[in-house]
Amino acid sequence: MLFRQLFDSTSSTYTYVLASRVGGEALIIDPVRDQLEQYLKVIEELDLKLVHAIDTHTHADHIIALGDLRDITHCTTIMGELSQAHCVSQHVHEDEVVRVDGIELRAIYTPGHTDESFSFVLNPNAPQAVFTGDVLLIRGSGRTDFQGGDAHRSWDSIVNKLFRLPDMTTLYPAHDYKGWTASSIGEEKHFNPRLAGKTESEYVDIMNNLHLPNPKMMDVAIPANLACGQPPTL
Ligand code: FE
């Protein structure tokens, strides 16, 4: 399989390009508008046909590239069924499988960081990897204090959905701030400091006392991303 993990250093966002082969159909997960040229270069150099552009949730810290990729490549734009983004061409529901040639991703509803977040399991019949957006990060988890976030729902999504995947499932989050690039479900069960050995109420207490500042771009990014990354016209 062809797998590329790309990084936007401004927002510390990971973007993933998946295809089964050079010259084949591809999909992209959580693309950042500032990195559009890089995505188009990868697509061109590997002779890929971009079929789907997926966002795990409405990002608050960067402007997304779904709209530009759709306009340039004519790909489908995909988000979860509860997304308010009016420009999304396909809303996926629980257990729906997104396909390109040779690649299958199963959508699972994992609210908590936002109320509309989905994760995507690669090769659902024998899970190889899971793209968790921000609900589960490497040795951390996405904040739960805005965009319909809820620490109880975050716990439920992580413990009762993501942690039921096989321990060897590779974890690919949408962000990392410390240089981690991947983890696994088993590693996070044992070493995630917010989750390992914690009760739900302890987790909720941690999440409700993070006191994080709002993302710098939040006031611009959320309205822009509800339009698939087109900045609002004044
Ligand atoms: Fe987020």
Side-chain angles (χ1 to χ4, degrees), residues 57-61 113-114 134 146-147 175:
H57 64 290
T58 300
H59 296 280
D61 59 350
H113 170 61
T114 72
D134 296 354
F146 59 65
Q147 289 186 281
H175 291 293

Side-chain angles (χ1 to χ4, degrees), residues 95-179:
D95 285 334
E96 185 167 344
V97 175
V98 177
R99 287 186 179 82
V100 298
D101 179 23
I103 304 260
E104 287 192 350
L105 290 178
R106 178 167 64 89
I108 48 175
Y109 180 45
T110 49
H113 170 61
T114 72
D115 56 9
E116 39 81 271
S117 297
F118 270 71
S119 297
F120 293 87
V121 178
L122 176 65
N123 197 25
N125 292 328
Q128 292 175 341
V130 59
F131 301 91
T132 54
D134 296 354
V135 66
L136 178 59
L137 304 174
I138 300 170
R139 309 299 192 263
S141 61
R143 62 192 299 171
T144 56
D145 58 334
F146 59 65
Q147 289 186 281
D150 181 300
H152 286 283
R153 297 184 88 190
S154 170
W155 171 271
D156 184 56
S157 293
I158 295 169
V159 171
N160 294 322
K161 287 193 164 175
L162 297 173
F163 279 3
R164 294 199 178 169
L165 292 165
D167 280 357
M168 288 301 291
T169 310
T170 308
L171 168 68
Y172 290 113
H175 291 293
D176 192 83
Y177 305 95
K178 294 180 180 172

Side-chain angles (χ1 to χ4, degrees), residues 10 24 39 58 62 67-68 93 117 124 133 142 158 176 181-183 189 196 219 233:
T10 306
Y39 310 143
T58 300
H62 64 267
D68 294 287
H93 53 75
S117 297
I158 295 169
D176 192 83
T181 53
S183 178
K189 277 183 191 170
D219 293 340
T233 43

